[in-house]
Amino acid sequence: MTEPPEPKTFEDDNGKAVLATDRDGNQMFVVSLFVKQRRTEEGGRRPKGEEIRVTLEIDPGEEFGDGDQVELVNPRVSPYQMTNANGVVTNSGISFRASTVKRAGTSFE
């Protein structure tokens, strides 16, 4: 973990920070993680990792800190593409989402 979970926010049309909610009005959270593939062969090299931001649907409720090893509960990756009024693609990528995070090696209740 590179940044602990915090409430997810976005800027409204007036530039004011607003708490992000899902369709049902439940507050969402965001966490920054450094992800890296585990070594699969003895002495083998792992590919370099990448920092990602993951939207969480449930408040993890625990204190987490920089460097904590965590697991995502019900992780999902979704491609997205945004177009303007003329149909021109203005932005695209992938988004990461999970129900929540838990400490690595623990059960989720």
Side-chain angles (χ1 to χ4, degrees):
M1 180 172 294
T2 57
E3 292 179 23
E6 62 185 18
K8 185 172 183 172
T9 59
F10 66 94
E11 284 189 17
D12 66 10
D13 294 336
N14 299 320
K16 182 180 175 188
V18 178
L19 291 175
T21 59
D22 65 13
R23 294 178 188 158
D24 297 324
N26 300 313
Q27 184 177 354
M28 295 189 298
F29 298 83
V30 66
V31 64
S32 293
L33 304 173
F34 186 79
V35 293
K36 191 171 186 175
Q37 181 178 340
R38 291 182 186 219
R39 210 171 261 135
T40 56
E41 297 176 14
E42 187 65 34
R45 288 188 57 192
R46 293 186 286 183
K48 292 184 178 182
E50 182 174 343
E51 186 172 26
I52 63 170
R53 291 183 56 83
V54 181
T55 298
L56 305 176
E57 300 159 339
I58 301 170
D59 182 356
E62 289 188 50
E63 290 293 321
F64 291 96
D66 187 12
D68 287 352
Q69 290 192 2
V70 297
E71 295 176 29
L72 297 172
V73 176
N74 190 25
R76 292 156 334 265
V77 177
S78 301
Y80 67 87
Q81 178 174 294
M82 297 178 191
T83 57
N84 64 16
N86 298 325
V88 176
V89 175
T90 58
N91 195 1
S92 64
I94 56 175
S95 64
F96 301 93
R97 195 175 188 111
S99 295
T100 192
V101 293
K102 65 182 183 93
R103 295 202 183 280
T106 62
S107 63
F108 175 70
E109 297 172 13

